[in-house]
Amino acid sequence: MTIEGRQDGAERPQEKQRGPVVLRRSRLSEPTTTDQRLLDSRGPSDWVHTDPWRVMRIQSEFVEGFGALAEVPRAVTVFGSARTTPDHPEYAAGVELGAALAKIGCAVITGGGPGAMEAVNRGASEAGGLSIGLGIELPFEQGLNPWVDLGVNFRYFFVRKTMFIKYAQAFVCLPGGFGTMDELFEALTLVQTKKVTKFPVVLFGKSYWQGLYDWIRDSMRASGKIGDKDLALLHLTDDIDDAVGIVQEAYVAWEATH
């Protein structure tokens, strides 16, 4: 996917991220990603001999991420679709949300890509807040959006997910696809099982999320697969002030126990 331009209007060539490495022009033809090579065991058996060395690369990604984000202030991780277009109301909502979070002193953390992620980064950056993007190596998506102030690129999804969770006091999910669903349910599972300190998960956009919320309530909870306390982890809203208020209240409660 071609990056059409930056804030200063200068054109940028098509590129792909491979962890901290940027690939452009002739290097774009590399056919696989690092995650794919790690998880796909088909083919010659030489992968058996290289996997132990991959541990060093994985370790280096954790070290780089921890080092880059260690002094980040209180933050909110916002998930959302890379396919949201700049003229869509969901993009405008993302800009407004990013700005509102910045105004209460929260950094925003996104996946650093286009669409809803770019909108949130843009809103936070324009409002003078800290705008963070955690990118991932993908075969079809460009690098970090131009509104990211602090960016880290990862090869491995599981390392990146750790960073999304470790440095946030709340999650907000804008409308999104499979990636957003993956991140949403991983966050819910970690909060439910007390692997992370309990904090809110906000579903922003009632018309988009209502069907999923109803299914969780009427199928999961009704059949005893989750309990009332689990359902209460989710907050469904259309209002920016409401979403930010939930984040603020949770932070005050969290701060009182630390």
Side-chain angles (χ1 to χ4, degrees), residues 35 38-39 58 62 136 156-163:
D35 259 336
L38 170 66
L39 298 173
I58 292 166
F62 276 114
I136 186 69
Y156 298 102
F157 268 109
F158 57 89
V159 179
R160 181 186 186 227
K161 285 181 176 181
T162 300
M163 305 303 157

Side-chain angles (χ1 to χ4, degrees), residues 7 95 99 102 119-129 131 147 149:
Q7 290 166 275
V95 173
V120 174
N121 286 134
R122 178 176 181 171
S125 183
E126 289 182 331
S131 174
W147 299 98
D149 301 321

Side-chain angles (χ1 to χ4, degrees), residues 102-244:
K103 288 173 183 175
I104 64 166
C106 287
V108 299
I109 303 173
T110 79
M117 294 174 281
E118 176 186 294
V120 174
N121 286 134
R122 178 176 181 171
S125 183
E126 289 182 331
L130 178 56
S131 174
I132 300 169
L134 307 181
I136 186 69
E137 175 191 2
L138 293 173
F140 52 81
E141 203 167 288
Q142 72 266 32
L144 297 174
N145 70 67
W147 299 98
V148 169
D149 301 321
L150 172 60
V152 185
N153 285 299
F154 296 93
R155 294 181 174 93
Y156 298 102
F157 268 109
F158 57 89
V159 179
R160 181 186 186 227
K161 285 181 176 181
T162 300
M163 305 303 157
F164 278 142
I165 292 163
K166 179 174 174 59
Y167 295 98
Q169 279 80 51
F171 297 111
V172 179
C173 292
L174 297 171
F178 287 161
T180 301
M181 296 294 175
D182 174 46
E183 291 150 348
L184 165 63
F185 282 105
E186 179 154 11
L188 286 171
T189 301
L190 290 171
V191 175
Q192 179 199 48
T193 56
K194 302 186 186 304
K195 294 296 184 183
V196 295
T197 305
K198 181 180 177 180
F199 52 80
V201 179
V202 179
L203 300 179
F204 189 88
K206 285 185 177 180
S207 64
Y208 188 85
W209 292 112
Q210 189 69 59
L212 176 64
Y213 183 87
D214 291 346
W215 179 80
I216 292 172
R217 182 193 61 204
D218 299 337
S219 292
M220 280 187 170
R221 188 186 65 170
S223 63
K225 303 301 188 294
I226 63 170
D228 290 342
K229 290 182 178 180
D230 301 321
L231 183 65
L233 297 174
L234 283 168
H235 303 265
L236 186 62
T237 186
D238 271 330
D239 186 78
I240 295 289
D241 291 338
D242 184 32
V244 173

